[in-house]
Amino acid sequence: MSDRVGASGESAGRTLRDFVGNEVWTDLVENAVERRHPAGATLLRQGEPGTHVLAVLGGVTKVVRRERNGELNLLAFRGAGELLGEVAVLDDDVRLASVEALTDCVVGVLTKDQFTHFATRHDLFPLLVRYALTRLRESDQARGGGDALARLAAVLVQLADLSGHALHGPDEPLELALTRHELAQYLRTSRNTVTAKLAELGTRCVQTRRMRIVIHDLPALRRTAQTLGG
């Protein structure tokens, strides 16, 4: 592998940018076409062919899959520095899940040919496998057991951090295109539990609207999240 791709064997980074290093990531996005999406927009659609990949430059997305029984299942959250849609491109098949914007998002679009040539030039294919496995492991860990209130707070803090909210106005409300049902799916608990825990946090901290969750007090959420495993 090219020595531009970070230290050998390291896979502790949470994003593709962490895996490959800033120089390779910058090289990747310099060849991309920038596109902006509002919160709630669909960026990639399940079942469509893998014609392109998206590099997330800003904002937060959610990965959702429609199961055979018709139910939507929230699988993961992805923020800046992540790559979306690479699996369908690499295995030359259709997309296994959809990606939707949780906040206003900026992405870089690369065609299938652009991305595969880039990955070949930088010998990224073994690293992309480790990257995919690490993302699966992190999703499982995030949805592990523990106090439901602290786990809920931790997820909301994670989304605020992924969005860069603390850097762009921590005192301003952060609106997420997310529902209580989706939070319950992700946390592997019931919608009633999520509703009860949101009420426990209080509307001064977190408020629910139609198809939206609004964070008002991120420091309070952090304090609650820190009790997880404490």
Side-chain angles (χ1 to χ4, degrees):
M1 180 177 297
S2 165
D3 17 352
R4 296 177 66 192
V5 184
S8 62
E10 290 189 0
S11 58
R14 289 179 176 270
T15 68
L16 183 66
R17 183 174 55 198
D18 294 325
F19 272 75
V20 302
N22 287 329
E23 188 176 352
V24 172
W25 177 260
T26 299
D27 191 20
L28 174 71
V29 300
E30 279 181 350
N31 296 306
V33 176
E34 187 175 297
R35 183 182 297 168
R36 295 178 179 270
H37 295 276
T42 298
L43 281 63
L44 299 173
R45 198 174 300 276
Q46 181 176 342
E48 291 186 345
T51 57
H52 60 283
V53 300
L54 303 177
V56 184
L57 307 179
V60 188
T61 66
K62 60 185 177 185
V63 182
V64 294
R65 182 177 64 217
R66 186 170 294 279
E67 308 295 351
R68 291 184 177 181
N69 61 5
E71 184 175 350
L72 284 175
N73 188 17
L74 195 159
L75 303 178
F77 302 109
R78 301 285 178 246
E82 295 277 19
L83 196 65
L84 303 171
E86 78 281 6
V87 173
V89 164
L90 294 175
D91 69 6
D92 200 27
D93 207 338
V94 298
R95 304 200 188 279
L96 300 177
S98 297
V99 178
E100 301 173 6
L102 267 181
T103 66
D104 292 346
C105 289
V106 183
V107 299
V109 184
L110 293 103
T111 66
K112 179 177 181 176
D113 285 345
Q114 283 180 306
F115 177 68
T116 53
H117 289 160
F118 182 88
T120 299
R121 179 157 54 93
H122 290 281
D123 191 19
L124 294 183
F125 295 107
L127 184 144
L128 288 168
V129 172
R130 296 202 304 273
Y131 168 63
L133 292 174
T134 299
R135 294 202 305 187
L136 287 173
R137 187 179 303 112
E138 288 174 351
S139 291
D140 284 341
Q141 290 171 346
R143 297 187 287 184
D147 178 72
L149 182 65
R151 288 170 58 215
L152 172 61
V155 169
L156 294 175
V157 167
Q158 175 197 8
L159 295 177
D161 289 344
L162 285 174
S163 74
H165 182 62
L167 301 175
H168 300 98
D171 295 327
E172 294 296 320
L174 173 62
E175 185 170 301
L176 303 168
L178 189 65
T179 68
R180 286 172 289 178
H181 179 65
E182 288 173 325
L183 278 172
Q185 284 182 330
Y186 186 73
L187 293 169
R188 294 175 179 167
T189 188
S190 70
R191 184 178 183 276
N192 287 342
T193 297
V194 169
T195 298
K197 297 306 175 183
L198 286 170
E200 193 172 335
L201 288 169
T203 55
R204 290 187 178 182
C205 184
V206 182
Q207 188 177 14
T208 58
R209 297 177 183 169
R210 187 177 183 276
M211 307 295 289
R212 294 290 190 272
I213 301 287
V214 184
I215 297 174
H216 292 286
D217 192 341
L218 184 55
L221 278 177
R222 288 194 193 279
R223 291 191 293 271
T224 301
Q226 287 169 359
T227 66
L228 184 61

